[in-house]
Every structure is written in C-alpha cells, then in structure tokens.
C-alpha cells in the first residue's frame, strides 16, 4: 500500500477544483502585481484599506525598536508583553465588554473558544454556511454537532429542542463567501430561551459594520447577554494579523485556563500588537472609510444589477457574483484577468456544489473610477460565457 497522491491531484484537476497560489509581488491594495502582471484587484479582505497604511507601518517599526520582533514564549510563560495587554484592553473597550483575549489568528481563536467551552456530553449547533474554522472547531470539540439551515431560527429551534448538556450556538456574523449577515436578534432570542450561549465570529463585520466599526453586534445594538462569546479577527479590516475573543471576565479566564490553541503557542510579535493598536485607532476614528465603502457598494450593486448579474443578498463589502458551475466561474475570472482585473473564483468545497461564484470584495482604498472599470470589464466578459446556467437562472 502507498499513498496515491498523484491520483488525488489528478482527480482534483479533472473536477476543475485544483487550487493555485497567485504570487503577490507588491503590497496589498487595489493596484497589485501578481505573477508578474499589474492588476486591479477586488479580492482581498482589507476592507478599510489599512494593510499598507503608513501610520500603521510606522507604529510597527517603532514597536520593533522598542519591543524587538519576537514574542519569545507563550503568553503563560513569558510571552505576554505590554503591547499585547494594551491591545486587549483597547479591544475590550471597542466591543464594550469586560475583557478581550488576543489569539495568533482567527482559526485558532475559533478552535480555542469552542473546544474550551463544550466537549463530550454537550451540544454545538452551527449555521451550515459557517466558516471552515468554526465547523472544524465543532467537530474537534467532541460535543454533539449539528448544522442548522442557513440563518434559520426555526431550524435552530428544532435542534435546540434535542440539545443535551451545555449548548453553544455558533454563527459567522457576516458570512464570508456570501456577504449576508446573521439574523442575530432571532438567533440570540432562540439561544437565550433555551439557556444556550451564542458565539459570533465577526471576522468580516469588524470595521465595515456598526457606527464605530464595532461590527454586527454594534449594528444590531446587542449586548453581552445576547452574544456571550464574540470573536474578531485582525487580518481583515484591521489590516494586520491575529484575532481576539471578547466577553466576560469568567469567559476570558476560562479560555486562559483551557483553550489549548491559546496556551500552547508563541505569542504574536509585540510589534504587531503596536501596529494593530494604531489600526484600531484609525478604524474607530476615520469614519470616511466606512462612508466611502457604503457608496462603492451601492455603485457596484446598481451597476451589476443593470448588467443582469446574479448578486447575493448582501450590503457588506463582500459582493459575490453567483455563477453556479465551477468551470464557468473560473472562465469569467480568467477573462477578467486578461483585461487586467483580479477577482477570485470560489469553488467547492469552499462553497456548496453548484454555487461557484466570483467573490468580489470592495475596499475603502478603491475609487469610484476603479469600481466603474470593474463594471465595464464585467459588461464585456460576462456575455462571453454564453447563456446562464441553471443555478444563475434560478436565482436571477
Ligand atoms: C469567518 C472567518 N473566521 C475566521 C477566519 C480565520 O481567520 P484568520 O485568517 O485570522 O485565521 C476567516 C478567514 O480567514 C473567516 O473568514
């Protein structure tokens, strides 16, 4: 017996699902160089345009001068430094919660929070379109795991009826591949009525959503009681890297004691925390970024609708164009690329079979003229795909 990796890879290719890593040869931003080609990109998660901001870079450099570059140890040994601590305090203030805990990235924050809170004899209920890290966390926890219909409180309720032990309801805040937002008031009501806890991963909501960038919870005006476990990631609108869990004093102390992806890893570089403190300041104070983004989203949606494209139910910077067939989605992405634009095709298994899409993301760093260039290119390229496939027609 041997591993037949060649056959697995060949099968992946045959299904048009083979993935390749584009090589970015410039900083993140609307104008990039990828694989040697200058491109206008609509596919990063740098929603507020902070990933290459000079003040954040300066904060990083000053942080490295003052604190060095390496975390040096895990938080519980001697890796928890003053910038980490200050960032946690600032994130607690942003979220209006007693405490926040810094993780190395969102994947680990999700694994850590879910596995620390539920285990054998408990229940974890997740939206079926949740991010892979949340689904993996649920499976890894050893709790009874069940997925409810997308954003459907009735479907959640029927599962809550059968739940045993401590029960955690887990949802994305903004769904990463669809751009729609969770119906948090309904989910929070359902969870509270059964004594379950609601955990929200608002990786894509912090920054763009809420009057001060406080994300979906701020958008809906919900509190600690409604959403006891709130996750944010720092690699998207914050423009840096890392993640946090915000909640009660007891929750954070529980994670420090029991969340293995928190305990058994080196802390992030302290200079990175210095950079994120600066980006947090810009995220909260520079409202023009959110306002400009809202205008771009409206411009894109109305232009795309006029072209007859099938959009999803989203008012966030994630504006996917639903295509259906993975091969057609790839072709459209390729046609755009030939015209100097980069928009990634998202295919199964990242999205359900038959729902491949172009995941357009907008950033405050884009200009209205750049969004118009995208619309012009779509007007040229989309008809070259031929008639809509079954999925597109059904949703149109
Ligand atoms: C909803 C969601 N949660 C978590 C993550 C993981 O965060 P990180 O990239 O910081 O690991 C992502 C994407 O990266 C995401 O889209």
């Amino acid at each position: 017996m041997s591993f037949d990796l060649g056959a697995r890879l060949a099968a992946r290719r045959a299904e048009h699902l083979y993935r390749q890593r584009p090589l970015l040869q410039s900083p993140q931003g609307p104008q990039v160089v990828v694989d040697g080609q200058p491109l206008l990109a609509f596919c990063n998660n740098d929603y507020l345009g902070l990933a290459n901001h000079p003040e954040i870079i300066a904060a990083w450099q000053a942080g490295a001068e003052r604190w060095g570059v390496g975390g040096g140890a895990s938080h519980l040994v001697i890796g928890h430094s003053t910038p980490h601590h200050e960032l946690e305090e600032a994130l607690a203030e942003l979220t209006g919660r007693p405490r926040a805990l810094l993780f190395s990235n969102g994947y680990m924050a999700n694994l850590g929070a879910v596995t620390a809170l539920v285990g054998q004899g408990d229940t974890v209920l997740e939206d079926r379109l949740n991010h892979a890290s949340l689904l993996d966390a649920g499976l890894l926890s050893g709790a009874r795991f069940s997925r409810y219909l997308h954003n459907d409180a009735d479907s959640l309720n029927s599962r809550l009826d059968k739940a045993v032990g401590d029960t955690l309801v887990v949802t994305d805040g903004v769904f990463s591949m669809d751009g729609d937002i969770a119906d948090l008031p309904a989910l929070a009501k359902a969870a509270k009525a059964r004594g379950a806890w609601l955990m929200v991963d608002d990786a894509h909501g912090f920054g763009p959503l809420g009057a001060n960038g406080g994300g979906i919870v701020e958008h809906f005006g919900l509190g600690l009681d409604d959403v006891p476990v709130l996750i944010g990631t720092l690699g998207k609108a914050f423009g840096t890297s890392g993640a946090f869990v915000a909640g009660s004093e007891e929750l954070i102390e529980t994670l420090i004691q029991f969340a293995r992806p928190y305990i058994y890893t080196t802390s992030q570089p302290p200079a990175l925390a210095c950079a994120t403190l600066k980006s947090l300041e810009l995220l909260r104070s520079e409202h023009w970024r959110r306002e400009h983004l809202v205008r771009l989203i409206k411009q894109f949606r109305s232009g795309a609708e006029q072209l007859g494209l099938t959009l999803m139910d989203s008012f966030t910077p994630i504006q996917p164009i639903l295509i259906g067939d993975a091969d057609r989605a790839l072709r459209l992405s390729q046609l755009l690329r030939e015209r100097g634009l980069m928009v990634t095709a998202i295919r199964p298994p990242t999205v359900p079979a038959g729902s491949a899409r172009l995941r357009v993301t907008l950033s405050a760093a884009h200009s209205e003229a750049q969004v118009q260039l995208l619309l012009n290119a779509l007007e040229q390229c989309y008809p070259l795909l031929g008639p809509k496939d079954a999925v597109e027609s059904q949703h149109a």
Side-chain angles (χ1 to χ4, degrees):
M1 288 288 281
S2 72
F3 292 97
D4 195 353
L5 303 188
R8 284 174 65 186
L9 294 173
R12 209 0 108 158
R13 256 185 227 285
E15 290 163 331
H16 304 288
L17 299 180
Y18 204 86
R19 286 135 186 260
Q20 266 154 340
R21 301 173 304 167
L23 182 62
L24 180 65
Q25 295 160 310
S26 65
Q28 205 56 262
Q31 309 269 12
V32 288
V33 179
V34 175
D35 297 327
Q37 193 188 0
L39 292 168
L40 173 59
F42 290 89
C43 43
N44 69 27
N45 301 314
D46 180 24
Y47 304 122
L48 297 183
L50 297 178
N52 189 30
H53 193 290
E55 286 181 48
I56 301 175
I57 295 170
W60 172 295
Q61 287 167 337
E65 292 287 336
R66 171 74 175 85
W67 302 101
V69 290
S74 64
H75 284 273
L76 295 190
V77 178
I78 191 177
H80 184 65
S81 63
T82 303
H84 298 131
H85 205 72
E86 285 174 1
L87 179 56
E88 288 183 346
E89 286 172 352
L91 290 166
E93 200 197 323
L94 170 77
T95 55
R97 284 155 186 257
R99 281 187 70 184
L101 188 69
L102 191 58
F103 279 74
S104 295
N105 57 54
Y107 200 106
M108 290 169 78
N110 285 338
L111 286 194
V114 174
T115 58
L117 290 172
V118 288
Q120 268 185 13
D122 298 323
T123 304
V124 60
L125 303 174
E126 300 210 17
D127 188 293
R128 63 183 290 271
L129 295 189
N130 272 356
H131 187 258
S133 58
L134 294 171
L135 300 174
D136 292 356
L139 291 169
L140 189 69
S141 70
R144 281 196 196 182
F145 177 71
S146 169
R147 297 200 279 173
Y148 57 89
L149 294 177
H150 178 49
N151 226 350
D152 186 331
D154 290 339
S155 169
L156 170 62
N157 268 319
S158 70
R159 281 162 178 76
L160 281 166
D161 284 342
K162 298 178 207 129
V164 295
D166 287 342
T167 302
L168 191 62
V169 176
V170 182
T171 183
D172 277 21
V174 175
F175 287 88
S176 54
M177 295 298 138
D178 297 61
D180 57 337
I181 69 170
D183 183 0
L184 280 198
L187 299 178
K189 189 170 162 215
K192 267 206 283 192
R194 315 294 168 101
W197 270 18
L198 179 59
M199 166 170 153
V200 176
D201 170 4
D202 204 19
H204 299 270
F206 277 103
L209 293 190
N212 301 298
I216 189 168
V217 163
E218 187 182 23
H219 172 81
F220 281 121
L222 298 176
L224 193 61
D225 244 26
D226 307 295
V227 180
V229 190
L230 180 60
I231 313 279
T233 68
L234 305 171
K236 301 182 186 344
F238 284 83
T240 59
S241 179
F244 62 92
V245 180
S248 67
E249 180 73 30
E250 267 191 353
L251 171 72
I252 300 307
E253 282 302 316
T254 301
L255 297 181
I256 294 172
Q257 307 309 317
F258 301 110
R260 293 169 66 87
Y262 180 77
I263 299 166
Y264 297 107
T265 195
T266 302
S267 63
Q268 62 167 227
L272 181 57
C274 298
T276 307
L277 273 163
K278 176 51 78 176
S279 76
L280 175 55
E281 192 187 310
L282 298 180
L283 176 142
R284 293 186 78 171
S285 61
E286 295 198 350
H287 294 287
W288 67 264
R289 293 178 187 276
R290 271 179 288 283
E291 288 156 13
H292 178 57
L293 197 48
V294 166
R295 280 195 297 276
L296 296 182
I297 293 166
K298 281 198 184 126
Q299 179 194 355
F300 176 76
R301 284 190 73 84
S302 85
E305 272 157 13
Q306 276 168 31
L307 297 177
L309 302 176
T310 306
L311 295 179
M312 305 188 80
D313 179 20
S314 162
F315 66 89
T316 70
I318 303 170
Q319 289 293 328
I321 303 170
L322 184 65
I323 302 293
D325 180 61
D327 189 27
R328 275 165 64 86
L330 268 186
R331 265 175 44 225
L332 183 54
S333 173
Q334 189 53 40
L335 287 165
L336 290 170
R337 181 102 179 225
E338 285 161 16
R339 284 158 182 79
L341 285 111
M342 183 162 175
V343 187
T344 319
I346 306 285
R347 297 163 284 162
T350 307
V351 292
S355 72
R357 63 201 67 176
L358 284 204
R359 182 175 181 265
V360 173
T361 53
L362 298 167
S363 162
H366 285 120
S367 65
E368 286 168 21
Q370 288 172 329
V371 171
Q372 191 54 50
L373 283 175
L374 172 62
L375 290 167
N376 295 348
L378 284 166
E379 185 174 17
Q380 284 174 13
C381 298
Y382 185 69
L384 303 178
L385 288 185
K388 288 189 174 194
D389 71 14
V391 174
E392 284 176 278
S393 311
Q394 196 186 325
H395 285 78

